[in-house]
Amino acid sequence: MELSMMLDYAGDPRRAADEAAALETAGLDAVWVAEAWGFDAPTIMGYLAARTERMKIGSAILNVYSRTPALIAQTAAGLDAMSGGRALLGLGASGPQVVEGWHGKPYDKPIGRTRETVELCRRIWRRETIDHHGITDMPLPADKGGRHGKPLKMLTRPVRAAIPVYVASLGPANVRMTAEIADGWLPTLFVPEKADAVWGSALAEGAALRAPELGPLRTVAGGLLAIGEDAAAARDLARPQIALYVGGMGAVGKNFYNDLAVAYGYEEEARKIQELYLAGHKRDAAAAVPDELCELTTLCGPESYVRERVEAFRAAGVTMLNVTPVGPEPARLIETVKNWL
């Protein structure tokens, strides 16, 4: 099992990147960079590439609406070149809140767009001449306004012809597609004890269609990390984030994280969190997050307990434990957990 962390994108990105880079010597294997509707991820990822030597650098995530498949492929290849082959391309459909509210694009065909983007990225990295017509047309045909385009292949030579592609997915159809075509999976709010009941069938169905050359699907999941006799209190730091996702990431009836909470068995709590959050009562929404959900999505408590949580994630198929260290000594936390892996 590898060890990674999410970069804090809500504050000063340079400070956060410097702090993450400093954890490379403590044993951190990878860092994931989100963008949501904040700073763009590739700029920060490029800075991390210059500040590190061994650590993998992943996007979590680039959505498949705001950039063309060709630009996504170029961006990943550029980062891979500048980092010496350490890029991880995290992709996803995001959700209507970001795609329509921020990027002004219709949220249509999310699974088809993701599948097509993965296919085109891989073909571009292999330097194939691209003549593709689907959701995206390359080149643009005359009946859609194209006049001067012709099929092209990537001008530069990628460091790797197969950059690992990780897909963020939660719904059964999307998870099935992820298990079929992706190198890795980026689930959110992952509860290891409930994962098989929620996603087991979809993962198995996708795996049955998986190309052998892809190898086993890798899974990235984890949560807040705090170790100590009084560290369980750190779980409460997860409440606002859970409330944001379950309550605020989308509208009523169109929130994938809310659907996940319902699938976990928290139907009434999910409804209450969403009602409070959308009404502007964010603190009350955070307070309504079930204690059990906070506990099961985090790794906070005495050392023996946290070791048990690590093993629970391992048993659920997690191959990269993704943590957010809490406290004044993040390097000590990373070193401790790395020694268990």
Side-chain angles (χ1 to χ4, degrees), residues 160-246:
R160 292 185 291 174
I163 297 168
V165 179
Y166 287 67
V167 173
S169 56
L170 293 176
N174 207 356
V175 170
R176 188 179 305 115
M177 182 267 296
T178 300
E180 178 189 349
I181 70 168
D183 295 284
W185 179 35
L186 293 164
T188 304
L189 301 179
F190 187 88
V191 173
E193 291 82 356
K194 298 175 183 282
D196 185 65
V198 174
W199 293 302
S201 295
L203 289 169
E205 291 165 8
L209 301 172
R210 188 175 179 82
E213 60 267 24
L214 286 175
L217 182 72
R218 287 162 258 175
T219 301
V220 181
L224 288 178
L225 171 66
I227 301 174
E229 293 304 315
D230 58 350
R235 293 176 194 151
D236 283 339
L237 297 175
R239 291 183 182 278
Q241 187 79 351
I242 295 173
L244 166 64
Y245 280 87
V246 174

Side-chain angles (χ1 to χ4, degrees), residues 90-259:
L91 290 174
S94 188
Q97 178 84 357
V98 173
V99 173
E100 296 183 359
W102 183 245
H103 294 292
K105 300 289 186 180
Y107 191 77
D108 62 347
K109 304 174 183 173
I111 297 175
R113 285 184 184 277
T114 305
R115 180 183 288 272
E116 184 180 74
T117 299
V118 174
E119 176 193 343
L120 285 170
C121 281
R122 288 172 172 159
R123 291 181 61 192
I124 288 168
W125 297 329
R126 292 194 298 264
R127 300 191 74 233
E128 293 183 17
T129 298
I130 306 299
D131 193 347
H132 172 90
H133 300 282
I135 298 172
T136 299
D137 286 299
M138 298 172 66
L140 189 67
D143 63 355
K144 293 185 179 180
R147 293 186 297 165
H148 308 295
K150 65 177 183 179
L152 298 172
K153 69 178 180 181
M154 193 171 196
L155 178 66
T156 46
R157 293 186 177 275
V159 170
R160 292 185 291 174
I163 297 168
V165 179
Y166 287 67
V167 173
S169 56
L170 293 176
N174 207 356
V175 170
R176 188 179 305 115
M177 182 267 296
T178 300
E180 178 189 349
I181 70 168
D183 295 284
W185 179 35
L186 293 164
T188 304
L189 301 179
F190 187 88
V191 173
E193 291 82 356
K194 298 175 183 282
D196 185 65
V198 174
W199 293 302
S201 295
L203 289 169
E205 291 165 8
L209 301 172
R210 188 175 179 82
E213 60 267 24
L214 286 175
L217 182 72
R218 287 162 258 175
T219 301
V220 181
L224 288 178
L225 171 66
I227 301 174
E229 293 304 315
D230 58 350
R235 293 176 194 151
D236 283 339
L237 297 175
R239 291 183 182 278
Q241 187 79 351
I242 295 173
L244 166 64
Y245 280 87
V246 174
M249 283 291 191
V252 176
K254 201 67 174 178
N255 181 321
F256 308 123
Y257 311 101
N258 193 280
D259 293 343

Side-chain angles (χ1 to χ4, degrees), residues 253-275:
K254 201 67 174 178
N255 181 321
F256 308 123
Y257 311 101
N258 193 280
D259 293 343
L260 176 59
V262 171
Y264 280 155
Y266 305 113
E267 183 172 1
E268 287 303 313
E269 295 91 336
R271 179 190 56 78
K272 182 178 180 182
I273 292 167
Q274 189 174 61
E275 287 178 354

Side-chain angles (χ1 to χ4, degrees), residues 188-193 221-227 231-242 264 289-302 305-313 321-326:
T188 304
L189 301 179
F190 187 88
V191 173
E193 291 82 356
L224 288 178
L225 171 66
I227 301 174
R235 293 176 194 151
D236 283 339
L237 297 175
R239 291 183 182 278
Q241 187 79 351
I242 295 173
Y264 280 155
V289 173
D291 292 343
E292 182 185 65
L293 184 57
C294 285
E295 179 176 358
L296 295 179
T297 55
T298 59
L299 304 96
C300 301
Y305 172 80
V306 175
R307 292 193 74 159
E308 291 176 2
R309 295 306 300 149
V310 170
E311 292 309 312
F313 279 91
L321 188 67
N322 193 34
V323 301
T324 301
V326 176

